[in-house]
Amino acid sequence: MFKAAERHNYARFTRYVDTDDVALSSMEAIFERSTRDMSKRFKRGSQADQRFLEIYLTQNKPILQADIKAALKHQVEIDVFYTDYAPKNLWQALRVIEINQTGHTATCAMVPSGKKTDSLPLNLRLRQVGLHWQIFEIQLQSDDDEAKAAEKKNL
């Protein structure tokens, strides 16, 4: 994946990253978090304002998803996607803390390597495509997600 980005080879990059699904899951995560944050802000405010924002986000979801995909393609094909962050070895930069495989799909939780141990994990969802694995969703946990997980553990 990193070699394809370094060589600005978008076709090869998409062999390892399903940009359509990554853009969709990113947009859904943005939408979900925006809606959750909005509901916190509008508890005391106008329900009409909250509804307007929900409609706006829903109508613009396809446009924002396309923008995410176009930005990713631009980064790989033209910009310095790889050279901005170029670890000698990805597995030295990130530490895998958990892998769960079910059939032809897997989830891989990773945190940055190093002394800081309280980092929230980066979760990659992968599917097996022929002889290789392809990322189809990237999930960044938030502090709220971590708090909910801790609450479930305590119940």
Side-chain angles (χ1 to χ4, degrees):
M1 175 177 73
F2 281 107
K3 287 181 181 177
E6 179 183 37
R7 295 180 180 131
H8 303 292
N9 186 339
Y10 185 71
R12 181 99 174 151
F13 181 81
T14 59
R15 180 177 178 193
Y16 301 102
V17 179
D18 184 332
T19 56
D20 289 322
D21 284 349
V22 166
L24 177 63
S25 67
S26 298
M27 186 57 243
E28 288 174 349
I30 290 167
F31 182 79
E32 189 271 325
R33 286 196 176 139
S34 297
T35 305
R36 185 176 53 207
D37 292 345
M38 207 175 22
S39 65
K40 289 178 187 176
R41 283 189 213 132
F42 287 115
K43 280 184 180 173
R44 292 181 228 108
S46 163
Q47 292 297 319
D49 290 342
Q50 182 178 357
R51 184 69 184 135
F52 172 78
L53 197 48
E54 286 174 4
I55 291 169
Y56 176 80
L57 287 171
T58 302
Q59 288 178 342
N60 287 294
K61 201 175 192 180
I63 295 166
L64 296 171
Q65 180 184 344
D67 287 347
I68 291 169
K69 184 178 176 187
L72 181 58
K73 183 175 183 181
H74 178 80
Q75 288 292 315
V76 173
E77 289 184 335
I78 297 166
D79 280 348
V80 288
F81 178 83
Y82 181 79
T83 56
D84 281 351
Y85 177 72
K88 290 180 183 173
N89 182 333
L90 176 62
W91 305 115
Q92 290 174 355
L94 295 170
R95 181 171 47 92
V96 175
I97 57 173
E98 183 177 13
I99 296 176
N100 293 316
Q101 181 180 351
T102 308
H104 295 286
T105 62
T107 303
C108 177
M110 306 162 92
V111 293
S113 294
K115 295 178 183 176
K116 188 176 179 183
T117 58
D118 61 343
S119 297
L120 294 173
L122 167 70
N123 294 312
L124 303 178
R125 295 204 49 223
L126 303 106
R127 66 176 150 238
Q128 192 169 13
V129 180
L131 299 175
H132 66 275
W133 289 86
Q134 181 184 59
I135 299 168
F136 70 93
E137 185 175 353
I138 299 172
Q139 302 168 335
L140 298 171
Q141 280 193 330
S142 69
D143 291 329
D144 289 343
D145 297 334
E146 193 71 17
K148 286 179 187 174
E151 253 181 53
K152 284 183 181 178
K153 263 188 177 177
N154 292 334
L155 293 177

PDB file of all heavy atoms in Angstrom, residues 13-45:
ATOM      1  N   PHE A  13      -2.814   1.076  -5.445  1.00  0.00           N
ATOM      2  CA  PHE A  13      -3.252   1.455  -4.095  1.00  0.00           C
ATOM      3  C   PHE A  13      -4.645   0.909  -3.806  1.00  0.00           C
ATOM      4  O   PHE A  13      -4.908   0.392  -2.729  1.00  0.00           O
ATOM      5  CB  PHE A  13      -3.221   2.984  -3.970  1.00  0.00           C
ATOM      6  CG  PHE A  13      -3.619   3.508  -2.625  1.00  0.00           C
ATOM      7  CD1 PHE A  13      -2.699   3.533  -1.584  1.00  0.00           C
ATOM      8  CD2 PHE A  13      -4.894   3.986  -2.383  1.00  0.00           C
ATOM      9  CE1 PHE A  13      -3.045   4.032  -0.333  1.00  0.00           C
ATOM     10  CE2 PHE A  13      -5.250   4.480  -1.149  1.00  0.00           C
ATOM     11  CZ  PHE A  13      -4.323   4.504  -0.116  1.00  0.00           C
ATOM     12  N   THR A  14      -5.532   0.990  -4.807  1.00  0.00           N
ATOM     13  CA  THR A  14      -6.913   0.517  -4.600  1.00  0.00           C
ATOM     14  C   THR A  14      -6.996  -1.000  -4.507  1.00  0.00           C
ATOM     15  O   THR A  14      -8.028  -1.536  -4.115  1.00  0.00           O
ATOM     16  CB  THR A  14      -7.858   1.028  -5.709  1.00  0.00           C
ATOM     17  OG1 THR A  14      -7.385   0.578  -6.979  1.00  0.00           O
ATOM     18  CG2 THR A  14      -7.969   2.541  -5.681  1.00  0.00           C
ATOM     19  N   ARG A  15      -5.928  -1.676  -4.843  1.00  0.00           N
ATOM     20  CA  ARG A  15      -5.903  -3.127  -4.636  1.00  0.00           C
ATOM     21  C   ARG A  15      -5.910  -3.444  -3.138  1.00  0.00           C
ATOM     22  O   ARG A  15      -6.453  -4.455  -2.714  1.00  0.00           O
ATOM     23  CB  ARG A  15      -4.656  -3.712  -5.291  1.00  0.00           C
ATOM     24  CG  ARG A  15      -4.541  -5.192  -5.144  1.00  0.00           C
ATOM     25  CD  ARG A  15      -3.341  -5.724  -5.870  1.00  0.00           C
ATOM     26  NE  ARG A  15      -3.263  -7.159  -5.655  1.00  0.00           N
ATOM     27  CZ  ARG A  15      -2.220  -7.886  -5.946  1.00  0.00           C
ATOM     28  NH1 ARG A  15      -1.168  -7.331  -6.507  1.00  0.00           N
ATOM     29  NH2 ARG A  15      -2.214  -9.165  -5.698  1.00  0.00           N
ATOM     30  N   TYR A  16      -5.303  -2.554  -2.355  1.00  0.00           N
ATOM     31  CA  TYR A  16      -5.183  -2.767  -0.912  1.00  0.00           C
ATOM     32  C   TYR A  16      -6.144  -1.913  -0.085  1.00  0.00           C
ATOM     33  O   TYR A  16      -6.321  -2.163   1.103  1.00  0.00           O
ATOM     34  CB  TYR A  16      -3.739  -2.495  -0.461  1.00  0.00           C
ATOM     35  CG  TYR A  16      -2.757  -3.387  -1.168  1.00  0.00           C
ATOM     36  CD1 TYR A  16      -1.994  -2.920  -2.228  1.00  0.00           C
ATOM     37  CD2 TYR A  16      -2.637  -4.726  -0.805  1.00  0.00           C
ATOM     38  CE1 TYR A  16      -1.107  -3.757  -2.891  1.00  0.00           C
ATOM     39  CE2 TYR A  16      -1.759  -5.567  -1.472  1.00  0.00           C
ATOM     40  CZ  TYR A  16      -0.996  -5.071  -2.513  1.00  0.00           C
ATOM     41  OH  TYR A  16      -0.139  -5.908  -3.174  1.00  0.00           O
ATOM     42  N   VAL A  17      -6.716  -0.897  -0.704  1.00  0.00           N
ATOM     43  CA  VAL A  17      -7.659  -0.015  -0.003  1.00  0.00           C
ATOM     44  C   VAL A  17      -8.875   0.180  -0.899  1.00  0.00           C
ATOM     45  O   VAL A  17      -8.762   0.682  -2.010  1.00  0.00           O
ATOM     46  CB  VAL A  17      -7.023   1.361   0.317  1.00  0.00           C
ATOM     47  CG1 VAL A  17      -8.029   2.269   1.013  1.00  0.00           C
ATOM     48  CG2 VAL A  17      -5.764   1.203   1.153  1.00  0.00           C
ATOM     49  N   ASP A  18     -10.048  -0.221  -0.416  1.00  0.00           N
ATOM     50  CA  ASP A  18     -11.291   0.008  -1.155  1.00  0.00           C
ATOM     51  C   ASP A  18     -11.722   1.443  -0.862  1.00  0.00           C
ATOM     52  O   ASP A  18     -12.354   1.725   0.152  1.00  0.00           O
ATOM     53  CB  ASP A  18     -12.358  -0.987  -0.721  1.00  0.00           C
ATOM     54  CG  ASP A  18     -13.640  -0.869  -1.528  1.00  0.00           C
ATOM     55  OD1 ASP A  18     -13.945   0.239  -2.020  1.00  0.00           O
ATOM     56  OD2 ASP A  18     -14.345  -1.874  -1.662  1.00  0.00           O
ATOM     57  N   THR A  19     -11.349   2.352  -1.755  1.00  0.00           N
ATOM     58  CA  THR A  19     -11.575   3.777  -1.498  1.00  0.00           C
ATOM     59  C   THR A  19     -13.058   4.134  -1.436  1.00  0.00           C
ATOM     60  O   THR A  19     -13.442   5.038  -0.703  1.00  0.00           O
ATOM     61  CB  THR A  19     -10.855   4.651  -2.541  1.00  0.00           C
ATOM     62  OG1 THR A  19     -11.284   4.262  -3.848  1.00  0.00           O
ATOM     63  CG2 THR A  19      -9.350   4.498  -2.427  1.00  0.00           C
ATOM     64  N   ASP A  20     -13.897   3.423  -2.182  1.00  0.00           N
ATOM     65  CA  ASP A  20     -15.339   3.680  -2.113  1.00  0.00           C
ATOM     66  C   ASP A  20     -15.869   3.394  -0.711  1.00  0.00           C
ATOM     67  O   ASP A  20     -16.567   4.219  -0.115  1.00  0.00           O
ATOM     68  CB  ASP A  20     -16.100   2.821  -3.125  1.00  0.00           C
ATOM     69  CG  ASP A  20     -15.875   3.264  -4.558  1.00  0.00           C
ATOM     70  OD1 ASP A  20     -15.795   4.487  -4.806  1.00  0.00           O
ATOM     71  OD2 ASP A  20     -15.766   2.388  -5.431  1.00  0.00           O
ATOM     72  N   ASP A  21     -15.538   2.222  -0.187  1.00  0.00           N
ATOM     73  CA  ASP A  21     -16.039   1.845   1.139  1.00  0.00           C
ATOM     74  C   ASP A  21     -15.387   2.650   2.260  1.00  0.00           C
ATOM     75  O   ASP A  21     -16.040   2.976   3.249  1.00  0.00           O
ATOM     76  CB  ASP A  21     -15.853   0.348   1.377  1.00  0.00           C
ATOM     77  CG  ASP A  21     -16.882  -0.489   0.630  1.00  0.00           C
ATOM     78  OD1 ASP A  21     -17.851   0.094   0.100  1.00  0.00           O
ATOM     79  OD2 ASP A  21     -16.720  -1.719   0.584  1.00  0.00           O
ATOM     80  N   VAL A  22     -14.095   2.985   2.102  1.00  0.00           N
ATOM     81  CA  VAL A  22     -13.434   3.811   3.116  1.00  0.00           C
ATOM     82  C   VAL A  22     -14.077   5.199   3.150  1.00  0.00           C
ATOM     83  O   VAL A  22     -14.354   5.737   4.220  1.00  0.00           O
ATOM     84  CB  VAL A  22     -11.908   3.903   2.869  1.00  0.00           C
ATOM     85  CG1 VAL A  22     -11.271   5.010   3.691  1.00  0.00           C
ATOM     86  CG2 VAL A  22     -11.250   2.568   3.185  1.00  0.00           C
ATOM     87  N   ALA A  23     -14.356   5.772   1.973  1.00  0.00           N
ATOM     88  CA  ALA A  23     -15.015   7.082   1.915  1.00  0.00           C
ATOM     89  C   ALA A  23     -16.411   7.009   2.528  1.00  0.00           C
ATOM     90  O   ALA A  23     -16.811   7.897   3.294  1.00  0.00           O
ATOM     91  CB  ALA A  23     -15.079   7.583   0.480  1.00  0.00           C
ATOM     92  N   LEU A  24     -17.145   5.938   2.216  1.00  0.00           N
ATOM     93  CA  LEU A  24     -18.494   5.768   2.768  1.00  0.00           C
ATOM     94  C   LEU A  24     -18.454   5.626   4.285  1.00  0.00           C
ATOM     95  O   LEU A  24     -19.193   6.304   5.003  1.00  0.00           O
ATOM     96  CB  LEU A  24     -19.181   4.556   2.144  1.00  0.00           C
ATOM     97  CG  LEU A  24     -20.565   4.218   2.694  1.00  0.00           C
ATOM     98  CD1 LEU A  24     -21.538   5.350   2.408  1.00  0.00           C
ATOM     99  CD2 LEU A  24     -21.069   2.912   2.094  1.00  0.00           C
ATOM    100  N   SER A  25     -17.575   4.780   4.794  1.00  0.00           N
ATOM    101  CA  SER A  25     -17.521   4.578   6.249  1.00  0.00           C
ATOM    102  C   SER A  25     -17.028   5.842   6.948  1.00  0.00           C
ATOM    103  O   SER A  25     -17.496   6.167   8.047  1.00  0.00           O
ATOM    104  CB  SER A  25     -16.647   3.380   6.613  1.00  0.00           C
ATOM    105  OG  SER A  25     -15.296   3.611   6.294  1.00  0.00           O
ATOM    106  N   SER A  26     -16.121   6.576   6.321  1.00  0.00           N
ATOM    107  CA  SER A  26     -15.651   7.840   6.900  1.00  0.00           C
ATOM    108  C   SER A  26     -16.793   8.843   6.959  1.00  0.00           C
ATOM    109  O   SER A  26     -16.984   9.527   7.965  1.00  0.00           O
ATOM    110  CB  SER A  26     -14.505   8.429   6.078  1.00  0.00           C
ATOM    111  OG  SER A  26     -13.408   7.559   6.074  1.00  0.00           O
ATOM    112  N   MET A  27     -17.561   8.926   5.875  1.00  0.00           N
ATOM    113  CA  MET A  27     -18.691   9.853   5.835  1.00  0.00           C
ATOM    114  C   MET A  27     -19.727   9.464   6.871  1.00  0.00           C
ATOM    115  O   MET A  27     -20.278  10.324   7.563  1.00  0.00           O
ATOM    116  CB  MET A  27     -19.295   9.851   4.427  1.00  0.00           C
ATOM    117  CG  MET A  27     -20.380  10.873   4.208  1.00  0.00           C
ATOM    118  SD  MET A  27     -19.832  12.538   4.551  1.00  0.00           S
ATOM    119  CE  MET A  27     -20.887  12.944   5.899  1.00  0.00           C
ATOM    120  N   GLU A  28     -20.000   8.183   7.015  1.00  0.00           N
ATOM    121  CA  GLU A  28     -20.977   7.740   8.013  1.00  0.00           C
ATOM    122  C   GLU A  28     -20.498   8.051   9.431  1.00  0.00           C
ATOM    123  O   GLU A  28     -21.290   8.435  10.284  1.00  0.00           O
ATOM    124  CB  GLU A  28     -21.273   6.255   7.842  1.00  0.00           C
ATOM    125  CG  GLU A  28     -22.108   5.983   6.609  1.00  0.00           C
ATOM    126  CD  GLU A  28     -22.306   4.507   6.324  1.00  0.00           C
ATOM    127  OE1 GLU A  28     -21.637   3.659   6.946  1.00  0.00           O
ATOM    128  OE2 GLU A  28     -23.146   4.210   5.454  1.00  0.00           O
ATOM    129  N   ALA A  29     -19.206   7.894   9.672  1.00  0.00           N
ATOM    130  CA  ALA A  29     -18.652   8.220  10.998  1.00  0.00           C
ATOM    131  C   ALA A  29     -18.764   9.711  11.267  1.00  0.00           C
ATOM    132  O   ALA A  29     -19.132  10.132  12.379  1.00  0.00           O
ATOM    133  CB  ALA A  29     -17.201   7.763  11.093  1.00  0.00           C
ATOM    134  N   ILE A  30     -18.464  10.525  10.271  1.00  0.00           N
ATOM    135  CA  ILE A  30     -18.574  11.982  10.418  1.00  0.00           C
ATOM    136  C   ILE A  30     -20.027  12.348  10.687  1.00  0.00           C
ATOM    137  O   ILE A  30     -20.335  13.140  11.578  1.00  0.00           O
ATOM    138  CB  ILE A  30     -18.046  12.700   9.162  1.00  0.00           C
ATOM    139  CG1 ILE A  30     -16.534  12.547   9.056  1.00  0.00           C
ATOM    140  CG2 ILE A  30     -18.447  14.169   9.157  1.00  0.00           C
ATOM    141  CD1 ILE A  30     -15.962  12.944   7.705  1.00  0.00           C
ATOM    142  N   PHE A  31     -20.941  11.769   9.920  1.00  0.00           N
ATOM    143  CA  PHE A  31     -22.365  12.040  10.068  1.00  0.00           C
ATOM    144  C   PHE A  31     -22.851  11.642  11.457  1.00  0.00           C
ATOM    145  O   PHE A  31     -23.538  12.407  12.140  1.00  0.00           O
ATOM    146  CB  PHE A  31     -23.152  11.297   8.990  1.00  0.00           C
ATOM    147  CG  PHE A  31     -24.627  11.541   9.034  1.00  0.00           C
ATOM    148  CD1 PHE A  31     -25.160  12.701   8.509  1.00  0.00           C
ATOM    149  CD2 PHE A  31     -25.486  10.608   9.592  1.00  0.00           C
ATOM    150  CE1 PHE A  31     -26.529  12.934   8.550  1.00  0.00           C
ATOM    151  CE2 PHE A  31     -26.846  10.829   9.640  1.00  0.00           C
ATOM    152  CZ  PHE A  31     -27.374  11.999   9.108  1.00  0.00           C
ATOM    153  N   GLU A  32     -22.457  10.446  11.910  1.00  0.00           N
ATOM    154  CA  GLU A  32     -22.902   9.950  13.219  1.00  0.00           C
ATOM    155  C   GLU A  32     -22.383  10.830  14.347  1.00  0.00           C
ATOM    156  O   GLU A  32     -23.108  11.200  15.257  1.00  0.00           O
ATOM    157  CB  GLU A  32     -22.449   8.498  13.388  1.00  0.00           C
ATOM    158  CG  GLU A  32     -23.028   7.801  14.606  1.00  0.00           C
ATOM    159  CD  GLU A  32     -22.192   7.981  15.856  1.00  0.00           C
ATOM    160  OE1 GLU A  32     -20.964   8.035  15.749  1.00  0.00           O
ATOM    161  OE2 GLU A  32     -22.783   8.090  16.945  1.00  0.00           O
ATOM    162  N   ARG A  33     -21.113  11.185  14.288  1.00  0.00           N
ATOM    163  CA  ARG A  33     -20.528  12.021  15.345  1.00  0.00           C
ATOM    164  C   ARG A  33     -21.102  13.425  15.325  1.00  0.00           C
ATOM    165  O   ARG A  33     -21.343  14.014  16.373  1.00  0.00           O
ATOM    166  CB  ARG A  33     -19.011  12.051  15.222  1.00  0.00           C
ATOM    167  CG  ARG A  33     -18.419  10.746  15.674  1.00  0.00           C
ATOM    168  CD  ARG A  33     -16.947  10.835  15.950  1.00  0.00           C
ATOM    169  NE  ARG A  33     -16.513   9.547  16.465  1.00  0.00           N
ATOM    170  CZ  ARG A  33     -15.398   8.951  16.145  1.00  0.00           C
ATOM    171  NH1 ARG A  33     -14.562   9.540  15.322  1.00  0.00           N
ATOM    172  NH2 ARG A  33     -15.093   7.791  16.649  1.00  0.00           N
ATOM    173  N   SER A  34     -21.337  13.959  14.123  1.00  0.00           N
ATOM    174  CA  SER A  34     -21.926  15.301  14.024  1.00  0.00           C
ATOM    175  C   SER A  34     -23.326  15.298  14.612  1.00  0.00           C
ATOM    176  O   SER A  34     -23.707  16.214  15.333  1.00  0.00           O
ATOM    177  CB  SER A  34     -21.984  15.759  12.567  1.00  0.00           C
ATOM    178  OG  SER A  34     -20.706  15.868  12.029  1.00  0.00           O
ATOM    179  N   THR A  35     -24.093  14.266  14.302  1.00  0.00           N
ATOM    180  CA  THR A  35     -25.455  14.161  14.820  1.00  0.00           C
ATOM    181  C   THR A  35     -25.442  14.017  16.337  1.00  0.00           C
ATOM    182  O   THR A  35     -26.224  14.658  17.038  1.00  0.00           O
ATOM    183  CB  THR A  35     -26.181  12.959  14.180  1.00  0.00           C
ATOM    184  OG1 THR A  35     -26.125  13.102  12.765  1.00  0.00           O
ATOM    185  CG2 THR A  35     -27.622  12.878  14.619  1.00  0.00           C
ATOM    186  N   ARG A  36     -24.519  13.200  16.860  1.00  0.00           N
ATOM    187  CA  ARG A  36     -24.416  13.012  18.311  1.00  0.00           C
ATOM    188  C   ARG A  36     -24.016  14.321  18.997  1.00  0.00           C
ATOM    189  O   ARG A  36     -24.617  14.711  19.992  1.00  0.00           O
ATOM    190  CB  ARG A  36     -23.410  11.913  18.615  1.00  0.00           C
ATOM    191  CG  ARG A  36     -23.317  11.567  20.082  1.00  0.00           C
ATOM    192  CD  ARG A  36     -22.388  10.416  20.357  1.00  0.00           C
ATOM    193  NE  ARG A  36     -21.078  10.653  19.770  1.00  0.00           N
ATOM    194  CZ  ARG A  36     -20.237   9.698  19.377  1.00  0.00           C
ATOM    195  NH1 ARG A  36     -20.574   8.444  19.507  1.00  0.00           N
ATOM    196  NH2 ARG A  36     -19.073   9.989  18.871  1.00  0.00           N
ATOM    197  N   ASP A  37     -23.011  15.006  18.445  1.00  0.00           N
ATOM    198  CA  ASP A  37     -22.580  16.282  19.019  1.00  0.00           C
ATOM    199  C   ASP A  37     -23.684  17.322  18.929  1.00  0.00           C
ATOM    200  O   ASP A  37     -23.880  18.119  19.836  1.00  0.00           O
ATOM    201  CB  ASP A  37     -21.328  16.814  18.301  1.00  0.00           C
ATOM    202  CG  ASP A  37     -20.108  15.954  18.563  1.00  0.00           C
ATOM    203  OD1 ASP A  37     -20.147  15.122  19.502  1.00  0.00           O
ATOM    204  OD2 ASP A  37     -19.114  16.113  17.829  1.00  0.00           O
ATOM    205  N   MET A  38     -24.414  17.282  17.819  1.00  0.00           N
ATOM    206  CA  MET A  38     -25.504  18.217  17.613  1.00  0.00           C
ATOM    207  C   MET A  38     -26.592  18.021  18.666  1.00  0.00           C
ATOM    208  O   MET A  38     -27.104  18.985  19.232  1.00  0.00           O
ATOM    209  CB  MET A  38     -26.096  17.929  16.222  1.00  0.00           C
ATOM    210  CG  MET A  38     -26.748  19.068  15.572  1.00  0.00           C
ATOM    211  SD  MET A  38     -27.273  18.647  13.882  1.00  0.00           S
ATOM    212  CE  MET A  38     -27.392  16.889  13.817  1.00  0.00           C
ATOM    213  N   SER A  39     -26.923  16.771  18.940  1.00  0.00           N
ATOM    214  CA  SER A  39     -27.991  16.510  19.911  1.00  0.00           C
ATOM    215  C   SER A  39     -27.583  16.994  21.301  1.00  0.00           C
ATOM    216  O   SER A  39     -28.414  17.443  22.077  1.00  0.00           O
ATOM    217  CB  SER A  39     -28.392  15.047  19.925  1.00  0.00           C
ATOM    218  OG  SER A  39     -27.327  14.251  20.369  1.00  0.00           O
ATOM    219  N   LYS A  40     -26.284  16.929  21.627  1.00  0.00           N
ATOM    220  CA  LYS A  40     -25.820  17.452  22.916  1.00  0.00           C
ATOM    221  C   LYS A  40     -25.984  18.967  22.962  1.00  0.00           C
ATOM    222  O   LYS A  40     -26.412  19.523  23.964  1.00  0.00           O
ATOM    223  CB  LYS A  40     -24.344  17.105  23.143  1.00  0.00           C
ATOM    224  CG  LYS A  40     -24.083  15.666  23.420  1.00  0.00           C
ATOM    225  CD  LYS A  40     -22.587  15.430  23.571  1.00  0.00           C
ATOM    226  CE  LYS A  40     -22.257  13.961  23.695  1.00  0.00           C
ATOM    227  NZ  LYS A  40     -20.810  13.722  23.735  1.00  0.00           N
ATOM    228  N   ARG A  41     -25.633  19.626  21.862  1.00  0.00           N
ATOM    229  CA  ARG A  41     -25.701  21.094  21.826  1.00  0.00           C
ATOM    230  C   ARG A  41     -27.121  21.609  21.822  1.00  0.00           C
ATOM    231  O   ARG A  41     -27.404  22.663  22.373  1.00  0.00           O
ATOM    232  CB  ARG A  41     -24.983  21.617  20.574  1.00  0.00           C
ATOM    233  CG  ARG A  41     -23.515  21.594  20.702  1.00  0.00           C
ATOM    234  CD  ARG A  41     -22.872  22.324  19.535  1.00  0.00           C
ATOM    235  NE  ARG A  41     -21.628  21.654  19.250  1.00  0.00           N
ATOM    236  CZ  ARG A  41     -21.208  21.282  18.073  1.00  0.00           C
ATOM    237  NH1 ARG A  41     -21.916  21.546  17.018  1.00  0.00           N
ATOM    238  NH2 ARG A  41     -20.081  20.664  17.921  1.00  0.00           N
ATOM    239  N   PHE A  42     -28.015  20.879  21.152  1.00  0.00           N
ATOM    240  CA  PHE A  42     -29.368  21.378  20.983  1.00  0.00           C
ATOM    241  C   PHE A  42     -30.334  20.902  22.069  1.00  0.00           C
ATOM    242  O   PHE A  42     -31.523  21.121  21.954  1.00  0.00           O
ATOM    243  CB  PHE A  42     -29.914  20.993  19.607  1.00  0.00           C
ATOM    244  CG  PHE A  42     -29.315  21.780  18.480  1.00  0.00           C
ATOM    245  CD1 PHE A  42     -28.535  21.147  17.533  1.00  0.00           C
ATOM    246  CD2 PHE A  42     -29.509  23.142  18.381  1.00  0.00           C
ATOM    247  CE1 PHE A  42     -27.975  21.865  16.495  1.00  0.00           C
ATOM    248  CE2 PHE A  42     -28.959  23.863  17.344  1.00  0.00           C
ATOM    249  CZ  PHE A  42     -28.189  23.224  16.399  1.00  0.00           C
ATOM    250  N   LYS A  43     -29.841  20.276  23.121  1.00  0.00           N
ATOM    251  CA  LYS A  43     -30.740  19.857  24.195  1.00  0.00           C
ATOM    252  C   LYS A  43     -31.485  21.058  24.759  1.00  0.00           C
ATOM    253  O   LYS A  43     -32.648  20.989  25.076  1.00  0.00           O
ATOM    254  CB  LYS A  43     -29.969  19.134  25.296  1.00  0.00           C
ATOM    255  CG  LYS A  43     -29.687  17.697  24.955  1.00  0.00           C
ATOM    256  CD  LYS A  43     -29.021  16.977  26.089  1.00  0.00           C
ATOM    257  CE  LYS A  43     -28.769  15.533  25.666  1.00  0.00           C
ATOM    258  NZ  LYS A  43     -27.984  14.799  26.615  1.00  0.00           N
ATOM    259  N   ARG A  44     -30.769  22.161  24.856  1.00  0.00           N
ATOM    260  CA  ARG A  44     -31.380  23.384  25.388  1.00  0.00           C
ATOM    261  C   ARG A  44     -31.901  24.290  24.272  1.00  0.00           C
ATOM    262  O   ARG A  44     -32.566  25.252  24.516  1.00  0.00           O
ATOM    263  CB  ARG A  44     -30.345  24.148  26.222  1.00  0.00           C
ATOM    264  CG  ARG A  44     -29.978  23.432  27.479  1.00  0.00           C
ATOM    265  CD  ARG A  44     -28.961  24.234  28.285  1.00  0.00           C
ATOM    266  NE  ARG A  44     -27.886  23.339  28.663  1.00  0.00           N
ATOM    267  CZ  ARG A  44     -26.660  23.352  28.156  1.00  0.00           C
ATOM    268  NH1 ARG A  44     -26.310  24.243  27.292  1.00  0.00           N
ATOM    269  NH2 ARG A  44     -25.767  22.486  28.543  1.00  0.00           N
ATOM    270  N   GLY A  45     -31.542  23.993  23.039  1.00  0.00           N
ATOM    271  CA  GLY A  45     -31.861  24.880  21.923  1.00  0.00           C
ATOM    272  C   GLY A  45     -33.076  24.435  21.138  1.00  0.00           C
ATOM    273  O   GLY A  45     -33.881  23.635  21.590  1.00  0.00           O
TER     274      GLY A  45
END
